[in-house]
Amino acid sequence: MKRLFDLCLLVVSAAIWVPSLGLVAGLVRLRLGSPVLFRQRRPGLNAKVFEVLKFRTMTGARDPEGQLLADAQRLTPFGRWLRSSSLDELPELINILKGEMSLVGPRPLLVQYLDRYTPEQARRHQALPGLTGWAQINGRNAISWEQKFALDVWYVDHQSVWLDLRILWLTIWRVLRRDGISAAGEATMPEFLGAVRGSGVRALGATSPP
């Protein structure tokens, strides 16, 4: 049902997202050059690794030693706009068509985080990763990692087509308001270094739907 729901919605909305994909790709090529797409290996369902696609939002600026500069130094005003509008996520629709992602689910994070999760947090990989998710409409990058993972696990245990419809509708509202784009004092989100015991339980109880 979930796979059929994703495909039907993508087909119905193709007249909107296909031209948008081409337009944004052209803008990225003009403003940031090539490559247009950012590709990175991420763990998906059952922690199986796939290559996630996004539009590039940062320059390739490096320090004298050849190391990439911090995100905040490489993120251009145009890149910030892409992120705040969530247009940088559009290429992930290709991942959805390939069956590597879903419209709704826990966001695909970095491969190096896999051995940092608690067993409970690792259950976020029991669902396909999503373009948006329960954590994205309940704080996005403005909440802690522990809160985010608790919300992801809640979604795994309660996922349904009706919940996905609710999340998609609320995502549109959050994107228009540009809520939770980055963590306080960060260009995006700080690296997840390991679990803080107990925080996730409090977050889950506070954010379950009425």
Side-chain angles (χ1 to χ4, degrees), residues 58-63 67-77 80 187:
M58 297 184 186
T59 69
R62 297 176 180 269
D63 63 21
Q67 300 296 317
L68 283 172
L69 298 178
D71 288 357
Q73 295 173 278
R74 295 188 294 121
L75 190 59
T76 66
R80 290 183 188 277

Side-chain angles (χ1 to χ4, degrees), residues 1-153:
M1 281 291 294
K2 188 173 177 65
R3 177 65 175 156
L4 182 61
F5 170 77
D6 286 344
L7 292 176
C8 287
L9 202 54
L10 286 181
V11 170
V12 169
S13 62
I16 297 174
W17 67 263
V18 172
S20 299
L21 199 64
L23 177 61
V24 177
L27 289 173
V28 172
R29 181 67 178 83
L30 286 172
R31 302 295 295 271
L32 294 174
S34 68
V36 169
L37 293 179
F38 170 77
R39 303 168 183 266
Q40 191 173 56
R41 296 172 71 250
R42 301 282 179 95
L45 179 65
N46 298 321
K48 181 180 179 180
V49 176
F50 69 102
E51 189 175 67
V52 72
L53 303 174
K54 294 186 179 186
F55 280 125
R56 179 183 176 193
T57 59
M58 297 184 186
T59 69
R62 297 176 180 269
D63 63 21
E65 286 72 41
Q67 300 296 317
L68 283 172
L69 298 178
D71 288 357
Q73 295 173 278
R74 295 188 294 121
L75 190 59
T76 66
F78 174 68
R80 290 183 188 277
W81 174 75
L82 283 179
R83 290 189 176 213
S84 66
S85 62
S86 295
L87 290 173
D88 64 314
E89 310 284 356
L90 276 177
E92 290 174 29
L93 295 174
I94 299 171
N95 292 119
I96 295 172
L97 288 173
K98 292 168 66 178
E100 298 165 333
M101 291 181 61
S102 176
L103 287 170
V104 179
R107 288 291 298 154
L109 300 176
L110 300 178
V111 173
Q112 60 258 39
Y113 292 177
L114 285 174
D115 61 359
R116 303 177 188 178
Y117 297 130
T118 65
E120 177 70 4
Q121 291 170 344
R123 291 207 302 117
R124 67 190 305 278
H125 293 292
Q126 292 175 4
L128 278 171
L131 182 67
T132 185
W134 188 237
Q136 279 58 55
I137 65 166
N138 283 285
R140 198 172 173 182
N141 290 330
I143 58 177
S144 70
W145 283 115
E146 285 70 32
Q147 290 172 313
K148 188 176 295 190
F149 297 149
L151 291 165
D152 288 341
V153 171

Side-chain angles (χ1 to χ4, degrees), residues 136-208:
Q136 279 58 55
I137 65 166
N138 283 285
R140 198 172 173 182
N141 290 330
I143 58 177
S144 70
W145 283 115
E146 285 70 32
Q147 290 172 313
K148 188 176 295 190
F149 297 149
L151 291 165
D152 288 341
V153 171
W154 186 92
Y155 174 80
V156 167
D157 292 337
H158 297 84
Q159 58 186 310
S160 69
V161 171
W162 295 113
L163 179 58
D164 283 3
L165 283 170
R166 179 184 178 187
I167 291 171
L168 288 169
W169 174 252
L170 289 174
T171 295
I172 296 172
W173 175 245
R174 295 293 191 274
V175 168
L176 290 175
R177 292 182 57 186
R178 304 193 176 188
D179 288 340
I181 297 167
S182 60
E186 299 282 344
T188 51
M189 188 77 182
E191 181 180 356
F192 173 62
L193 299 175
V196 176
R197 301 289 192 269
S199 299
V201 175
R202 291 195 298 273
L204 182 58
T207 51
S208 296

